[in-house]
Amino acid sequence: AIEAFIQKEAYRPFDLEQGPLFRLLLLQREQQEHLLLLSINHLVTDFWSMSLLVRDLYLLYQHEVAHLQSSKVAELQGDQEEHEQKVTSEIRHPTSDIQVPDYVHWQRELVESEEGAAHRAYWLQQLSGDLPHLDLPLDRPRSAMHSYHGDIASLQLSSDLAQQLKKLSQKQGVTLATTLLAAFQTLLFRYTGQEDLLTGSVIAGREHPALQELVGYLINPVALRADFSGEPSFLTFLSQVKQTLLEAIAHQDYPLPRIAEALAANGQLLLEPGRPPLFETMFIMQRAQVLDEKGISAFALGVPGAHLQLDGLIVESYPLGGLPAQFDLTLMMAEVAPNYLTAALHY
C-alpha cells in the first residue's frame, strides 16, 4: 500500500503556472522508521542542488536533536523561554549574493554578447554537416511516439577494475570521467558500427564561486561528437575525447536548446516524435560537492540499497520502479566509495 501511494505521489504532475515546484511528504512506518519523499521539478533543481538540500536537512536535523536535548535540561532548570529565544537566534540560513533570477539575467546577457556569439559559432561548427542518429540493434521497431516509459539496470564494477581505470586515467592525463565516457562511446560504436556518434552529457555550470551554494537548475547540457574513422586505438580515441570535453567545458555557457533551434531552422536537425532531439544517449558522471565522503553520490543513480550514515541518522534509498526515461540510454556512474564504481543504465 505504501509503495503504491509513493509511486502515485512521486509521479503526480506539477502545476508549472501556479506551483509549488516541490513537494515534501513524510510517512511514519514504524517508531524508528520513516519514509521521506522529496519531489522537485527538474526546472528548479539539479544533483548539486539536491546534495545541498540534503546537507541542509541534515544540519537542521542535528540542530533539532541538540535543541530537544538542551530543552529538557532548560525545562528542569526553569529557563525554558530564555532557551527557546537563544536556540531561534542560533539558526543561520545559507545566504548568497546571487540568486536564480540574477543567474538567468546573466545568461540572457551572455547569449546576446560577442562572447555568446563565439560560443554559438563553436557549437554550429562542431555540429555541422549531417548529424548522426544512433541506430542501436533493437529487438522490435522503434515506437512512432516517444513514451518516456523507462526502467533501470545497475552494475557494480569490481574494486580491482576501478583501480585499473584510475591508473589508466592518471597515466594518460585524463579524468576518470573522461575514460568512462570514452569507454561508453566505444561500446556504442561496437554495437552500431557508426563512425560518427553524438552523445549528450552535462557540466555542472558552477565555475563561479558565488554559484556554489545556489539551489536551482544550473547544469549545462552539451553534445559530444565522437569520430571513429580510421580505426583509432583506444588511447588515440581517449585523447580525442579529452580534447572534445575540454572544448565543451570552455563553451558550455551557450544554451544547447538555442543551438538545436538554429540547426532545425537550417534543416540539419529533423525533429521526429519517436526520437529525442539531437542525441539519443547520455553519459553522466555524478559526484556530490557536499557529503560525498558519506556516499550521497550513490543516491543520484537510483540504485536500490544506497546508504548514508549521518551520525545517529541512517538514510537508505527507497527504489521507485518505472522511472521515466528522457533518452534511449542514459549511463550514470558514480564512485560510491574509494575504488568502488557503480553504473546505472536508464533505458
Side-chain angles (χ1 to χ4, degrees):
I2 287 176
E3 187 165 337
F5 178 77
I6 287 181
Q7 285 268 4
K8 184 179 178 180
E9 186 66 21
Y11 299 137
R12 183 160 56 89
F14 290 92
D15 186 335
L16 301 184
E17 291 186 353
Q18 302 297 323
L21 296 184
F22 68 93
R23 296 189 293 263
L24 194 64
L25 177 72
L26 183 69
L27 298 176
Q28 182 170 353
R29 187 153 66 173
E30 296 178 12
Q31 186 174 359
Q32 294 295 323
E33 185 177 352
H34 297 76
L35 292 172
L36 177 67
L37 177 65
L38 181 59
S39 306
I40 308 183
N41 191 283
H42 215 333
L43 282 171
V44 294
T45 192
D46 52 26
F47 180 54
W48 188 306
S49 299
M50 294 301 293
S51 63
L52 293 176
L53 287 170
V54 172
R55 178 203 62 188
D56 291 347
L57 281 171
Y58 169 49
L59 293 175
L60 287 168
Y61 174 83
Q62 280 186 315
H63 184 277
E64 187 69 15
V65 170
H67 171 216
L68 289 172
Q69 292 173 344
S70 58
S71 180
K72 291 179 181 178
V73 175
E75 187 177 354
L76 292 173
Q77 295 175 347
D79 53 0
Q80 180 70 12
E81 185 176 347
E82 179 184 342
H83 174 74
E84 290 288 347
Q85 292 175 350
K86 180 184 176 185
V87 166
T88 303
S89 67
E90 286 176 351
I91 297 178
R92 294 288 183 265
H93 298 285
T95 58
S96 174
D97 293 334
I98 295 181
Q99 298 299 322
V100 172
D102 302 314
Y103 176 79
V104 173
H105 178 70
W106 167 79
Q107 191 173 52
R108 284 176 177 166
E109 285 187 331
L110 174 78
V111 167
E112 303 301 329
S113 68
E114 290 185 8
E115 182 185 357
H119 290 324
R120 184 177 187 272
Y122 166 80
W123 286 113
L124 290 179
Q125 187 279 325
Q126 186 74 1
L127 300 173
S128 61
D130 294 331
L131 293 176
H133 276 312
L134 187 72
D135 290 318
L136 289 166
L138 306 176
D139 56 2
R140 57 180 177 269
R142 175 182 290 274
S143 301
M145 297 294 293
H146 199 35
S147 70
Y148 300 101
H149 297 157
D151 214 329
I152 180 175
S154 59
L155 172 74
Q156 181 155 310
L157 277 63
S158 69
S159 174
D160 181 56
L161 178 55
Q163 286 179 311
Q164 290 183 54
L165 287 166
K166 281 185 172 181
K167 288 178 181 177
L168 172 65
S169 303
Q170 291 169 356
K171 187 176 180 180
Q172 298 302 317
V174 301
T175 64
L176 177 60
T178 304
T179 300
L180 294 171
L181 168 62
F184 181 52
Q185 290 178 319
T186 302
L187 185 67
L188 294 175
F189 167 64
R190 178 181 172 184
Y191 277 115
T192 64
Q194 294 175 238
E195 295 183 344
D196 189 11
L197 294 174
L198 266 181
T199 307
S201 193
V202 293
I203 300 170
R206 295 176 186 256
E207 282 68 23
H208 196 287
L211 301 176
Q212 304 286 312
E213 290 289 317
L214 188 60
V215 172
Y217 181 87
L218 273 65
I219 58 174
N220 292 317
V222 292
L224 305 173
R225 202 162 188 171
D227 180 11
F228 285 94
S229 61
E231 299 184 2
S233 68
F234 181 75
L235 294 184
T236 300
F237 179 66
L238 180 58
S239 178
Q240 176 200 136
V241 173
K242 175 186 177 181
Q243 185 61 33
T244 301
L245 205 47
L246 287 174
E247 291 177 6
I249 292 170
H251 297 282
Q252 62 171 300
D253 290 321
Y254 198 90
L256 191 64
R258 292 287 188 98
I259 298 297
E261 288 173 7
L263 294 172
N266 64 23
Q268 274 185 269
L269 182 61
L270 300 177
L271 300 179
E272 300 178 27
R275 286 185 184 269
L278 207 53
F279 45 75
E280 297 90 348
T281 62
M282 286 199 81
F283 172 84
I284 302 173
M285 185 74 176
Q286 296 284 21
R287 182 180 179 275
Q289 300 305 305
V290 295
L291 300 179
D292 187 55
E293 72 285 351
K294 293 185 177 291
I296 194 174
S297 294
F299 284 74
L301 305 189
V303 175
H307 279 76
L308 199 61
Q309 187 84 29
L310 302 174
D311 295 342
L313 187 66
I314 300 173
V315 182
E316 182 179 348
S317 65
Y318 188 92
L320 286 175
L323 289 170
Q326 187 176 358
F327 300 97
D328 290 359
L329 295 174
T330 298
L331 178 61
M332 301 176 69
M333 298 194 71
E335 191 171 9
V336 298
N339 296 321
Y340 278 95
L341 280 168
T342 295
L345 192 70
H346 295 255
Y347 65 93

